[in-house]
Amino acid sequence: MNSIIGQPAPLVDGIEKVTGRARYTADLADGETLTGRILRAPVAHGRITRLDVSEARAMPGVVAVVTGDDCDVPYGVIPIAMNEYPLARDRVRYRGEPVAAVAAETPEAAAAALAAIVLEIEPLPAHATPAQARAPGAQLLHENKPGNIEREVHHEFGSVDAGFAAADLVREEVFTCAEVNHAMLEPNATLAEYDPERGHLTLHTCTQVPFYVHLTVARCLGLDTSRVRVIKPFVGGGFGHRTETLNFEIIAALLARAAGARVMVRLSREETFLTHRGRPQTDVRLKIGMAKDGRITAAEAEVVMAGGAYAGYGLVTILYAGALLHGIYAIENVKYDGYRVYTNTPPCGAMRGHGTVDVRHAFECLLDRMARELGLDPFAVRRANLLEAPLFTPNGLMVNSYGLPEALDRVEAASGWRERRAKLPLGRGLGMACSHYVSGAAKPVHWTGEPHAVVQMRLEFDGAVTVLTGAPDIGQGSTTMVAQTAAEVLGISIDRVRVITADSAVTPKDNGAYSSRITFMVGNAAIGAAEAMRDKLLAAAADKLEAAASEVVCEGETFFIPGAAQSELPWQEVVFAALAREGTITTRGTFSTPEKAQGGKHRGGAVGSTMGFSYGAQVVEVSVDAATGQITVEHVWAALDVGRALNPLSVEGQIEGSVWMGMAQAMSEECRYVDGLHAHANLLDYRFPTIEESPPVEAIIVESHDPLGPFGAKEAGEGALSGFPPALVNAVADALGLDVNFLPVTPDRLLDALTRWRRDQARAQTRKEVAK
Amino acid sequence: MTSHTIKLRVNGREVEEIVPDGLLLVDFLRARRGLTGTKIGCDGGECGACTVLVDGTPRLSCLTLAASVDGARIETIEGQARAGRLTPVQRAFHEALGTQCGFCTPGMIMAAEALLRRDPNPDEAAIRAALSGNLCRCTGYVKIIRAVQRAAAEMAGERA
């Protein structure tokens, strides 16, 4: 029986947030900090023919100016795909790409310096879409990538031809999903300080991956990694935007070194949009074969992504899109062809649900349409295709726990699906969909041979337990998870635990907050460190109690032998006893994913591999105004199998937030470019819902108790997102009788689709009457 | 650009400073007064993260000139807690998980505080209307609404 794990608890750093004491990167400037500003390319593609910063350098108040000449080391988050420079060299490939940067004593001086930089670019043909980029003879963005294809993936498992032949119904449709952006509330910022006497660089930055930033900045500046320190302050969200080293972080370091000073590079919201790394515009051509009882006999997907101008996470994104066709339903025959294409737009990257969201959208929409054609209930179709864990999927993904059946049951019941769906009036509808996501990539990006997570714990004279972890809390509550875990294992109050995170001079390294790895990997490592500490304390207590360590327990900060009278020792007394022997106690816990979890042996097989998937089922209720195309989401029921809810309050928050983010993508968000100019680079034109448009979301926690997860836990932050868009489209179909194949389903587009559909229906009717 | 001498009360404290006429209130608070709790989340007027109270009314400090609030009573997030003790609104946001990353939180709390002062028993529609100018990207607003309701209930209990 756990006393802390499984209890709803506020975040351990919540008080800082509600009082304004929490300091984010932009809050850290002082009077002496220089202002850093970036000059950005005004065209989408071209050769730099002239870049003259001499006038800017000479201006009063300008301390340093840097250009592409100051860094010839390319970088990128995937070791085999590093083709980006922090400041453009020779060519610019998207409108907004950094070309030069200044550090000045005041914002006014910095702005004046930027205006004084002479930049001339000879334009090259710019591609806005994959079709343009792939056209024969199209200008290449990168000379080593013919056809502007960053990565092509072709996988087949089983035989789709045989599967389609065996099907009673085969349908193929194309779905088009707009590019979206994370739009986290905190704009980007980096505070860089360089001490030329020691050759030391310190960065405070809004990152999800401080360890990657540390390595990348050291490489790009040619610094020994031991001379670099990266500290993550409070971070105002990330959702994947900050899961790679970003250009402005390296630029801040370059400016600080050139100035020998502290420089704050604070991006505007527009610049934060231009940094991008969002979910690419994706076309999914999907073909499914289904037997008349609903069983899927084959699935074939062709995915084309408009990836933007540089590699970034691109090859991982296009691999994820195909990998997670598997792992949710029992499908033996799966074919996947994926194309990640370069376009002259800001580079895409990882965004919540990385690579899987648009494909899952297509899949769950098409399943519903085929169910309808076969006269089957959508829930029945999902139930006809359930997995039986434990198993390995055809592409080698490990599934040990599978709570999808319960998730389906619970949202079906909670929404009143069976009783209500057939009785809803025209214009009102219920739609459902399933989804899943990884609890951390089982094969890390940087294959250093080290453990995949390391946690240190310290016990000192004051009786507090200090946990040191590189794991970055970006608002998702990872620090709270670590504190709860330590307190639970040690049998102490969470108030006795202090967690120090994400400072590369102090904490062990951690790969970062991405692919929802922290709970599974760092949680397990924290358990290991806490158990090691507990064992030392139990030994000291056993000594004092003249008993065997195996007889002693610690609960409520008291050591005792269950059942034995007069055998209680308070925490502090045992701490003193333990420290008397060793002076200071430090323990370490590690976690690594076993080889069998690391995916199939085929090329790209590691992507999608995980210790455990979260599984979601969702029902969305909408009312649609057919006169205006306006969709109102009346209610959402979202069940997510998270293995074990370590903190149910926090898990609910993640389910609610991820469902809502799926809604925002489904209904109103899109990046739009005009001649390469980002036309939606502000929070009015890039529309995500205010509180007025946001529905009640009922988060239902399902616990399948994963055998390998910490206390049985899996991820909770991403799995529910990709269920919303298809559930919405399916609900709209239920409400109106109209299927749509585009995202976002904005009122104008829905109205256009309705108008066309009514016109087609009227024509068909007229033809019928004429034929009579 | 000319300068003005302005006299304000900021979180109860008398402040007198010379400010350029183009200085925004948000920059005055953050850079001049060191009150970094008020956040900048957008390029002007779109997100609500900069919300402060001016004579009790929520205002976007990124669209307000410091010189224009001469003589006013300004309240920011830092002035809410009394001797370190959280207000009911702060406590509710903390305990009900109305805050995740925390970046929208100061603005959201100031807007909620203003609402509850003028309408101690708001229905859900009134809560939504009052917070409609504050964007949040983490919570989906579900627990924000609950936090405001919880704060209202606690404040009603205190008055009872």
Side-chain angles (χ1 to χ4, degrees):
Chain A
M1 182 62 209
N2 301 133
S3 55
I4 295 176
I5 294 296
Q7 304 303 317
L11 301 179
V12 295
D13 54 8
I15 292 176
E16 279 68 35
K17 295 166 189 170
V18 301
T19 55
R21 297 204 297 266
R23 301 200 120 210
Y24 301 76
T25 303
D27 301 335
L28 300 175
D30 66 10
E32 293 309 299
T33 306
L34 301 177
T35 299
R37 289 282 314 276
I38 296 171
L39 182 73
R40 296 177 180 272
V43 298
H45 202 183
R47 264 188 212 97
I48 299 171
T49 54
R50 185 170 175 223
L51 179 60
D52 185 347
V53 302
S54 52
E55 193 190 328
R57 263 204 189 111
M59 289 174 82
V62 176
V63 181
V65 180
V66 293
T67 69
D69 290 341
D70 292 293
C71 179
D72 62 358
V73 181
Y75 74 100
V77 69
I78 304 294
I80 60 169
M82 296 187 172
N83 66 2
E84 195 165 357
Y85 294 97
L87 294 161
R89 289 169 63 84
D90 304 322
R91 271 166 76 168
V92 298
R93 294 179 175 85
Y94 66 96
R95 195 158 171 176
E97 180 172 357
V99 175
V102 308
E105 289 167 2
T106 65
E108 294 77 23
L114 283 190
I117 295 176
V118 179
L119 173 62
E120 284 167 15
I121 297 177
E122 177 194 292
L124 291 169
H127 310 307
T129 66
Q132 289 172 10
R134 290 167 80 185
Q139 169 75 48
L140 294 183
L141 274 81
H142 299 277
E143 303 310 317
N144 64 331
K145 295 292 178 181
N148 283 315
I149 295 188
E150 206 266 312
R151 179 69 178 252
E152 258 185 67
V153 182
H154 304 284
H155 291 155
E156 183 167 3
F157 299 93
S159 161
V160 290
D161 287 341
F164 289 133
D168 294 307
L169 175 65
V170 176
R171 263 178 82 157
E172 180 176 336
E173 293 196 29
V174 176
F175 295 80
T176 299
C177 308
E179 177 183 286
V180 291
N181 181 279
H182 323 74
M184 60 278 140
L185 251 286
E186 180 198 12
N188 286 328
T190 299
L191 176 69
E193 182 163 9
Y194 186 76
D195 170 5
E197 291 293 334
R198 297 189 182 92
H200 277 189
L201 175 73
T202 304
L203 290 189
H204 289 78
T205 186
C206 57
T207 182
Q208 295 174 237
V209 287
F211 164 59
Y212 292 175
V213 172
H214 186 134
L215 287 182
T216 304
V217 161
R219 261 188 70 244
C220 284
L221 268 67
L223 292 172
D224 189 301
T225 51
S226 68
R227 307 295 197 273
V228 175
R229 180 176 184 182
V230 176
I231 300 166
K232 179 207 71 71
F234 277 84
V235 169
F239 312 111
H241 179 78
R242 296 158 165 164
T243 55
E244 50 183 299
T245 308
L246 295 169
N247 48 40
F248 65 90
E249 296 175 310
I250 309 170
I251 291 168
L254 289 167
L255 284 173
R257 182 168 65 175
R262 282 171 69 149
V263 180
M264 173 75 78
V265 173
R266 192 160 63 86
L267 267 55
S268 66
R269 174 55 64 182
E270 181 182 21
E271 290 180 289
T272 302
F273 271 108
L274 294 173
T275 309
H276 195 42
R277 318 292 149 162
R279 197 185 319 292
Q281 190 281 323
T282 304
D283 288 341
V284 183
R285 182 185 64 72
L286 181 67
K287 185 172 168 185
I288 294 179
M290 190 179 280
K292 59 177 182 284
D293 64 356
R295 264 179 315 112
I296 301 164
T297 60
E300 179 184 292
E302 183 188 295
V303 173
V304 179
M305 291 181 176
Y310 292 99
Y313 265 112
L315 76 87
V316 172
T317 314
I318 198 68
L319 280 166
Y320 259 123
L324 264 66
L325 284 167
H326 306 259
I328 181 169
Y329 303 124
I331 318 174
E332 293 306 308
N333 305 309
V334 181
K335 184 166 186 282
Y336 172 66
D337 299 287
Y339 302 86
R340 174 69 170 217
V341 184
Y342 280 112
T343 51
N344 292 103
T345 48
C348 296
M351 181 170 170
R352 206 173 192 176
H354 196 183
T356 69
V357 174
D358 298 345
V359 174
R360 182 51 42 197
H361 175 69
F363 207 98
E364 297 293 314
C365 288
L366 191 51
L367 276 191
D368 245 54
R369 296 170 195 187
M370 297 175 76
R372 200 189 307 146
E373 198 172 327
L374 291 173
L376 296 170
D377 175 76
F379 276 89
V381 167
R382 275 47 175 211
R383 290 185 176 118
N385 291 287
L386 295 174
L387 293 171
E388 266 188 57
L391 64 103
F392 284 86
T393 63
N395 61 338
L397 305 181
M398 183 173 79
V399 178
N400 284 335
S401 62
Y402 183 72
L404 189 59
E406 185 183 339
L408 285 164
D409 292 345
R410 299 208 35 203
V411 293
E412 186 183 34
S415 63
W417 178 277
R418 287 196 199 183
E419 304 79 28
R420 301 200 300 134
R421 192 165 185 247
K423 301 192 186 121
L424 292 171
L426 188 66
R428 193 126 180 159
L430 286 174
M432 67 83 67
C434 294
S435 57
H436 66 316
Y437 200 66
V438 301
S439 307
K443 198 145 194 178
V445 168
H446 290 263
W447 309 332
T448 57
E450 295 166 287
H452 299 168
V454 180
V455 169
Q456 284 175 327
M457 264 183 216
R458 264 180 46 205
L459 179 65
E460 296 293 348
F461 73 98
D462 60 3
V465 172
T466 305
V467 187
L468 300 162
T469 171
D473 198 316
I474 54 168
Q476 86 284 45
S478 57
T479 299
T480 302
M481 179 279 297
V482 168
Q484 286 186 292
T485 299
E488 179 72 54
V489 171
L490 290 167
I492 57 178
S493 160
I494 200 171
D495 296 325
R496 194 177 282 283
V497 180
R498 63 169 88 93
V499 185
I500 298 176
T501 72
D503 177 341
S504 63
V506 175
T507 57
K509 82 161 173 79
D510 186 79
N511 280 342
Y514 65 87
S515 71
S516 287
R517 58 177 286 284
I518 294 181
T519 292
F520 207 109
M521 300 196 189
V522 178
N524 271 325
I527 289 174
E531 285 175 344
M533 181 170 288
R534 182 191 61 193
D535 291 347
K536 287 188 190 264
L537 290 166
L538 290 178
D543 233 27
K544 290 193 81 133
L545 294 170
E546 293 178 338
S550 57
E551 296 176 79
V552 184
V553 301
C554 179
E555 268 171 36
E557 308 198 337
T558 308
F559 292 80
F560 62 96
I561 297 168
Q566 313 272 318
S567 69
E568 280 188 11
L569 291 172
W571 173 265
Q572 194 66 52
E573 203 177 315
V574 177
V575 168
F576 282 149
L579 288 175
R581 297 185 196 185
E582 299 188 51
T584 180
I585 291 178
T586 307
T587 63
R588 188 183 60 122
T590 65
F591 175 80
S592 284
T593 61
E595 173 105 32
K596 67 177 179 181
Q598 294 185 14
K601 295 295 168 230
H602 55 280
R603 188 155 183 253
V607 173
S609 70
T610 182
M611 298 301 294
F613 293 98
S614 63
Y615 289 102
Q618 212 165 131
V619 172
V620 173
E621 181 165 348
V622 302
S623 56
V624 188
D625 182 340
T628 62
Q630 188 88 34
I631 302 169
T632 301
V633 178
E634 302 285 352
H635 206 109
V636 184
W637 297 266
L640 191 70
D641 164 27
V642 299
R644 177 86 188 274
L646 303 183
N647 181 341
L649 187 65
S650 196
V651 169
E652 281 173 10
Q654 289 302 312
I655 295 173
E656 290 155 7
S658 56
V659 163
W660 174 91
M661 194 170 270
M663 179 180 103
Q665 173 175 354
M667 293 180 65
S668 58
E669 287 183 36
E670 67 180 303
C671 297
R672 195 178 266 198
Y673 302 95
V674 179
D675 283 337
L677 172 71
H678 197 321
H680 284 179
N682 62 74
L683 293 178
L684 282 182
D685 294 311
Y686 188 83
R687 307 180 66 96
F688 64 80
T690 70
I691 197 171
E692 293 270 35
E693 296 94 38
S694 299
V697 177
E698 211 169 296
I700 298 166
I701 295 173
V702 171
E703 295 181 316
S704 64
H705 300 280
D706 190 88
L708 299 173
F711 303 102
K714 297 186 286 188
E715 79 92 26
E718 294 186 79
L721 189 153
S722 58
F724 187 96
L728 176 93
V729 168
N730 293 340
V732 169
D734 188 50
L736 297 179
L738 171 65
D739 290 323
V740 296
N741 287 39
F742 50 81
L743 287 182
V745 189
T746 52
D748 57 329
R749 288 194 182 98
L750 183 58
L751 200 52
D752 279 349
L754 266 172
T755 306
R756 258 181 274 121
W757 185 57
R758 286 182 188 130
R759 182 198 58 202
D760 292 345
Q761 287 200 310
R763 281 184 185 151
Q765 186 63 25
T766 309
R767 261 180 249 121
K768 253 201 236 167
E769 282 160 9
V770 166
K772 274 194 209 146
Chain B
M1 189 169 280
T2 53
S3 293
H4 304 262
T5 303
I6 58 173
K7 271 168 108 152
L8 324 162
R9 282 195 90 85
V10 179
N11 295 328
R13 216 176 272 188
E14 289 280 359
V15 165
E16 182 170 340
E17 284 213 35
I18 299 169
V19 300
D21 56 8
L23 183 66
L24 296 171
L25 179 58
V26 68
D27 293 328
F28 174 76
L29 292 167
R30 286 176 54 82
R32 290 287 194 97
R33 303 302 307 168
L35 296 167
T36 56
T38 304
K39 304 301 180 199
I40 296 170
C42 70
D43 294 342
E46 296 162 359
C47 73
C50 68
T51 304
V52 299
L53 302 189
V54 179
D55 294 329
T57 303
R59 293 270 295 268
L60 298 179
S61 61
C62 74
L63 294 183
T64 304
L65 293 174
S68 74
V69 294
D70 184 17
R73 183 173 45 94
I74 313 287
E75 293 172 81
T76 73
I77 188 70
E78 290 94 337
Q80 294 306 291
R82 297 267 168 273
R85 292 298 190 177
L86 303 181
T87 64
V89 176
Q90 287 174 310
R91 187 173 308 283
F93 268 79
H94 172 49
E95 291 178 356
L97 210 72
T99 175
Q100 289 185 25
C101 83
F103 202 79
C104 78
T105 300
M108 198 70 77
I109 285 178
M110 297 316 290
E113 175 68 29
L115 167 67
L116 292 178
R117 285 183 196 175
R118 70 166 192 276
D119 181 359
N121 192 19
D123 59 12
E124 192 175 314
I127 294 173
R128 287 173 180 275
L131 301 186
S132 61
N134 292 78
L135 293 178
C136 173
R137 196 57 168 156
C138 294
T139 64
Y141 307 100
V142 177
K143 294 193 190 311
I144 288 176
I145 293 172
R146 222 163 280 162
V148 178
Q149 291 167 331
R150 189 160 152 162
E154 191 189 319
M155 287 159 84
E158 279 172 6
R159 283 192 297 271

